[in-house]
Each structure stands twice: as structure tokens, then as C-alpha cells.
Amino acid sequence: MMSALRVRVGIVAGAILLASVSGALAQGSPTIEAIRARGELICGVAGTSPLFSFPDSQGVMRGLDADSCRAVAAAILGDAQKVKFVPATPESRFPLLQSGQVDMLYRSTTWSLGREANLGAMFASVNFYDGTGFLVKATLGVKSAKDIDGAAVCISPGGGTELVVEDFFRSNKMKYTPILIKDLQEVQRAYLSGRCDVYASDMSALAGFRYQQGDKASDHILLSETISKEPLGAMVRKGDDKFFDAVRWTFFAQVAAEEQGITAANVDDALKSQVPEVRRLMGLEGDLGKALGLDNKWAFNVIKQVGNYGEMWDRDITPYGVPRGINKLWKAGGLQFAPPIR
């Protein structure tokens, strides 16, 4: 008798749990609903980084982060151009996200435990695996980061670089003088004027800055050592799982498209494919878009309007002379891969 009662109680409890889970899954996304209501995605970007987000001569925001924002807009709204870019400094980016002034951040922001645990936000994807490095003037004759003992180091605070640099010098029993300047342009001017010997930042940012020096780029040496792991990517508020899913899988769709050789130029032909994973990606079967709260053509729109991950890289990063390195696809020896689209 007791055994039968336990079974019945278990069945009831299981039914209640299943109903609860089903109800949660059925709920929409407040963020996606707000984006659709206003007709645009509001995306926080740096706006000052040539590789990631920087206005061109026509005022159009260019770069890997800018294009990643456009990809999310294409997935949700079907139009990659429906993005409002909001400049976000290292100090303002998290308050902008927390307060709801932006829907998400694609701002060269490093995924870390402290940020995900303390800021009420989480990282949906990594669009660039980066690391902190050092730029020095060629006249110093420095070949290694171990040779900058006693140097004055220019750093823009607020992004975590100052802690990484401090750890590096302390771990190697070296001394340095930090020159902390909030404004990025002021940091760069300080380095160029000789106020500091070394400029410390993400390797990508240093490579972009060096490239901007034009004929004088060779006057600066990007030291080979990368002294930290800096996975950069999309940050969204916690509590809206559907929006998190949409942002995460938008990026994975671009990686999967590159894996399958699908580009903006040939994505129309992919609609004729008989390859199961391609058909699911194109929304021809599986209703995966609807599962995300999106149109089933979400990935098609992303690839058609923005391109696959490799296309974004070639458009936004390659011109600056930054090798793809660990950002290659997994089958080429890199870290980028998409989980199964099924």
C-alpha cells in the first residue's frame, strides 16, 4: 500500500515538475519582445577599437563586434541594419547593461568568473580569443617581455589589464611603474610621446593601434608573449534565457556555416541541400528557430546579411595583420567550433 502511494506521489510530483518546466519553456523573452517592439537592437560597443567597433569615414560602425551585433539583429528582426550602437567605456559598459540601457554588450569584454558571478550578467559566446600583451618602441631594443623590468607601463584601467600586468611583474619578480589613464586616446598619446616605455593592452588592440601608425608601424614592436587568457564575447543580463539562447546560437550558426562552407554568396544554394545539418541550419526542417523564439529562417538571414564567422574575420580582422591563430576552426587546429545543430 505504502509502495503504491509513493509511486502515485512520485507521479504527481513529476507531473508538477514537468508542467513547471514546460511553462518556463513556453515563456517568451522580455528582451526579444522589447527589441521587436522598438524595431531595433541596442548594442553596447567600444566604438574606439578598429578591429572590433570603429566608425568609418561615412560614420558606419565597422569591426568584429559591430558585425556580431548585426548578426543578432538579423536573427531576431530579420534585418542586420536594425542596430543602434551605443558607445560604452570600460567603466560604463556594465551599468549600461545592468540598467537596461543596452540589450547586450559586444565590447571586447573578457569572460571571467568575477564578472559572471557578480554583475548579474553572463557570457553567451566568444567571438575572439585574445590575450594581454606589450607594445614597445623598436629603439628600446627589447625582444621579450622579460626584458621590460623597471619599465613605465601605460594602461587604461577598468578592463582588468592593470591586474594582469601586476600579476605578470609580481610573478616574475620584476618592477614597473604603472601609468594609469582612463581615456584610451590619452593612453596612446602618452605612449607615443615617451611618457611610458611600454603600452599594455589586449594583443588585438595593440595590433590595431600599431597598424594605425601607417609608415611608422615598424617603429613599434609587438612582443610575442601573451600573458593572459582573454576570451572576448557577448554579454547579456541574467534572467532571460531565451535571449541568451538567441545570442549564443546566432554565433554558433555563423561558425557552423563556416564549417559547412556556407557563405553569404552561396547561402541561397544551401536551401537546396540534402545534408541534414545544413537543412536544420537553414530552417528547412526541425523547427529549431521556433524553439529559440525566432523565425525558422533566423540563421539564413544571419549568413545572408552578415556572413559566416570566417567572413567576418576576413572583413574585420585580417586587414590589420592579426593572424587568426587559435580563432581558427577546430578542424584547423583552433578553438572555434559549433555544437551540433539538431
Side-chain angles (χ1 to χ4, degrees):
M1 186 69 177
M2 288 297 294
S3 178
L5 179 60
R6 289 194 186 99
V7 169
R8 287 197 295 273
V9 170
I11 291 173
V12 171
I16 292 173
L17 177 60
L18 181 59
S20 176
V21 172
S22 298
L25 290 174
Q27 291 178 354
S29 160
T31 308
I32 291 177
E33 290 171 5
I35 291 167
R36 286 175 173 155
R38 80 170 78 95
E40 67 178 0
L41 169 76
I42 303 177
C43 200
V45 297
T48 56
S49 175
L51 284 77
F52 296 105
S53 55
F54 194 80
D56 64 13
S57 59
Q58 304 300 314
V60 178
M61 195 68 73
R62 304 295 184 188
L64 186 67
D65 286 347
D67 277 346
S68 296
C69 293
R70 291 187 177 98
V72 176
I76 294 174
L77 298 170
D79 189 340
Q81 300 309 311
K82 291 184 177 179
V83 181
K84 178 181 178 181
F85 294 104
V86 174
T89 67
E91 294 79 18
S92 72
R93 56 184 163 173
F94 302 132
L96 283 171
L97 180 64
Q98 292 163 333
S99 66
Q101 295 179 69
V102 299
D103 298 313
M104 60 179 295
L105 291 174
Y106 249 127
R107 199 221 166 274
S108 306
T109 300
T110 299
W111 186 358
S112 71
L113 186 154
R115 287 173 175 170
E116 200 160 72
N118 295 321
L119 297 178
M122 53 188 174
F123 287 81
S125 63
V126 177
N127 69 344
F128 194 103
Y129 288 95
D130 206 349
T132 302
F134 299 110
L135 188 71
V136 301
K137 294 183 179 68
T139 53
L140 291 180
V142 173
K143 303 298 182 183
S144 167
K146 299 293 181 64
D147 298 332
I148 59 175
D149 190 13
V153 182
C154 277
I155 306 168
S156 179
T161 302
E162 66 269 33
L163 179 59
V164 170
V165 171
E166 180 184 345
D167 287 349
F168 171 79
F169 277 89
R170 186 166 59 180
S171 298
N172 288 283
K173 296 181 172 56
M174 295 162 54
K175 295 182 179 180
Y176 77 111
T177 301
I179 308 296
L180 304 179
I181 306 172
K182 288 187 177 181
D183 184 78
L184 179 61
Q185 282 71 38
E186 285 297 324
V187 172
Q188 294 169 349
R189 282 194 285 268
Y191 164 74
L192 291 173
S193 69
R195 184 177 169 188
C196 51
D197 308 300
V198 179
Y199 176 21
S201 187
D202 288 346
M203 294 287 275
S204 58
L206 296 176
F209 171 70
R210 181 177 180 272
Y211 177 87
Q212 288 182 306
Q213 305 314 303
D215 294 340
K216 295 185 178 181
S218 60
D219 293 346
H220 307 275
I221 304 298
L222 185 57
L223 301 181
S224 61
E225 294 97 334
T226 301
I227 66 171
S228 71
K229 296 178 292 184
E230 307 293 337
L232 312 179
M235 199 175 192
V236 301
R237 288 182 294 277
K238 287 183 178 177
D240 191 339
D241 294 346
K242 281 292 186 183
F243 183 56
F244 172 86
D245 290 344
V247 173
R248 164 175 277 186
W249 285 95
T250 292
F251 177 73
F252 284 152
Q254 292 182 285
V255 175
E258 185 181 6
E259 292 175 345
Q260 295 289 343
I262 304 172
T263 68
N266 67 23
V267 68
D268 289 314
D269 294 333
L271 294 174
K272 307 169 189 175
S273 175
Q274 296 305 310
V275 177
E277 185 161 358
V278 173
R279 290 182 60 80
R280 290 190 292 268
L281 183 63
M282 292 294 97
L284 300 173
E285 58 183 62
D287 276 346
L288 296 178
K290 289 183 180 179
L292 290 170
L294 306 175
D295 187 279
N296 277 340
K297 290 185 65 178
W298 65 284
F300 173 87
N301 290 332
V302 170
I303 300 160
K304 180 74 173 179
Q305 298 177 36
V306 184
N308 66 34
Y309 178 67
E311 289 180 284
M312 288 201 304
W313 186 280
D314 290 341
R315 179 169 61 240
D316 299 322
I317 306 298
T318 298
Y320 293 94
V322 178
R324 190 155 170 189
I326 60 174
N327 288 285
K328 293 178 182 178
L329 295 180
W330 63 277
K331 57 187 178 182
L335 297 178
Q336 293 291 4
F337 76 97
I341 309 292
R342 61 171 183 259

Coordinates of all heavy atoms in Angstrom, one line a residue, residues 91 155-157 180-189:
E91 N 34.3 51.7 -17.9 CA 33.6 52.0 -16.7 C 32.1 51.9 -16.9 O 31.3 51.5 -15.9 CB 34.0 53.3 -16.1 CG 35.4 53.5 -15.6 CD 36.4 53.7 -16.8 OE1 36.0 54.1 -17.9 OE2 37.6 53.4 -16.6
I155 N 48.6 52.0 -19.2 CA 47.5 51.1 -19.1 C 46.2 51.9 -19.0 O 46.1 52.9 -18.3 CB 47.6 50.2 -17.8 CG1 48.9 49.4 -17.8 CG2 46.4 49.2 -17.8 CD1 49.2 48.7 -16.5
S156 N 45.2 51.4 -19.7 CA 43.8 52.0 -19.5 C 43.1 51.2 -18.4 O 42.8 50.0 -18.6 CB 43.0 52.0 -20.8 OG 41.7 52.6 -20.6
P157 N 42.8 51.8 -17.2 CA 42.2 51.0 -16.2 C 40.7 50.7 -16.4 O 40.1 51.3 -17.2 CB 42.4 51.9 -14.9 CG 42.4 53.3 -15.5 CD 43.0 53.2 -16.9
L180 N 48.4 54.9 -15.2 CA 47.0 54.6 -15.5 C 46.3 55.9 -16.0 O 46.2 56.9 -15.3 CB 46.4 54.2 -14.2 CG 47.0 52.9 -13.5 CD1 46.3 52.6 -12.2 CD2 47.0 51.7 -14.4
I181 N 45.7 55.7 -17.2 CA 45.0 56.8 -17.8 C 43.7 56.3 -18.4 O 43.7 55.3 -19.2 CB 45.8 57.4 -19.0 CG1 47.2 57.9 -18.5 CG2 45.1 58.6 -19.6 CD1 48.2 58.3 -19.6
K182 N 42.6 56.8 -18.0 CA 41.3 56.3 -18.4 C 41.0 56.4 -19.9 O 40.5 55.5 -20.5 CB 40.2 56.9 -17.5 CG 40.1 56.5 -16.1 CD 38.9 57.1 -15.4 CE 38.8 56.6 -14.0 NZ 37.6 57.1 -13.3
D183 N 41.2 57.6 -20.4 CA 40.9 57.8 -21.8 C 41.9 57.1 -22.7 O 43.1 57.2 -22.6 CB 41.0 59.3 -22.1 CG 40.5 59.6 -23.5 OD1 39.3 59.6 -23.8 OD2 41.4 59.9 -24.4
L184 N 41.3 56.3 -23.6 CA 42.1 55.4 -24.5 C 43.1 56.2 -25.4 O 44.3 55.9 -25.5 CB 41.2 54.5 -25.4 CG 42.0 53.6 -26.4 CD1 42.8 52.6 -25.6 CD2 40.9 52.9 -27.2
Q185 N 42.6 57.3 -26.0 CA 43.4 58.1 -26.8 C 44.5 58.8 -26.0 O 45.7 58.9 -26.5 CB 42.6 59.2 -27.5 CG 41.8 58.7 -28.7 CD 40.6 57.8 -28.3 OE1 39.9 58.1 -27.3 NE2 40.3 56.8 -29.1
E186 N 44.3 59.2 -24.8 CA 45.3 59.8 -23.9 C 46.4 58.7 -23.6 O 47.6 59.1 -23.5 CB 44.7 60.3 -22.7 CG 43.9 61.6 -22.8 CD 44.8 62.7 -23.3 OE1 46.0 62.8 -22.9 OE2 44.4 63.6 -24.1
V187 N 46.0 57.5 -23.4 CA 46.9 56.4 -23.1 C 47.9 56.3 -24.3 O 49.1 56.2 -24.1 CB 46.2 55.1 -22.9 CG1 47.2 53.9 -22.8 CG2 45.4 55.1 -21.6
Q188 N 47.3 56.2 -25.5 CA 48.1 56.1 -26.7 C 49.0 57.2 -27.0 O 50.2 57.1 -27.3 CB 47.2 55.8 -27.9 CG 46.4 54.5 -27.8 CD 45.3 54.4 -28.8 OE1 44.9 55.3 -29.5 NE2 44.7 53.2 -28.9
R189 N 48.5 58.5 -26.7 CA 49.4 59.6 -26.8 C 50.5 59.6 -25.8 O 51.6 60.0 -26.1 CB 48.5 60.9 -26.7 CG 47.7 61.3 -27.9 CD 47.2 62.7 -27.9 NE 46.1 62.8 -26.9 CZ 44.8 62.7 -27.3 NH1 44.5 62.4 -28.6 NH2 43.8 62.8 -26.4

